[in-house]
Amino acid sequence: METVYDVMQLLKRFGTFVYTGDRNADLILLEMEVRQLYDNGLITQKEFAQSLLVLRRGK
């Protein structure tokens, strides 16, 4: 996972689409969604960690 697009594709697998038109708001919402998936055991720790790194870089 290298880009925000990759994180969006991960979320798309679970039926989650995030687009507000505001890049910073999107990054915040994406992080919240990734955390929810991890907390509910739907993604691995590796996917979670990679997603957070990508989102915090904002690429």
Side-chain angles (χ1 to χ4, degrees):
M1 203 168 314
E2 297 179 13
T3 65
V4 174
Y5 179 76
D6 294 335
V7 176
M8 293 173 99
Q9 293 305 305
L10 171 69
L11 292 175
K12 190 175 172 182
R13 287 190 343 214
F14 297 96
T16 302
F17 298 86
V18 174
Y19 180 76
T20 63
D22 177 4
R23 178 81 169 166
N24 289 330
D26 285 350
L27 294 174
I28 292 167
L29 290 172
L30 288 167
E31 183 173 335
M32 289 171 58
E33 292 295 334
V34 167
R35 284 185 186 282
Q36 283 292 319
L37 290 175
Y38 179 69
D39 289 345
N40 291 313
L42 298 172
I43 61 174
T44 65
Q45 183 178 5
K46 182 178 178 182
E47 288 173 315
F48 176 66
Q50 287 177 332
S51 297
L52 287 185
L53 287 173
V54 168
L55 293 172
R56 294 203 174 146
R57 275 194 333 237
K59 270 192 170 178

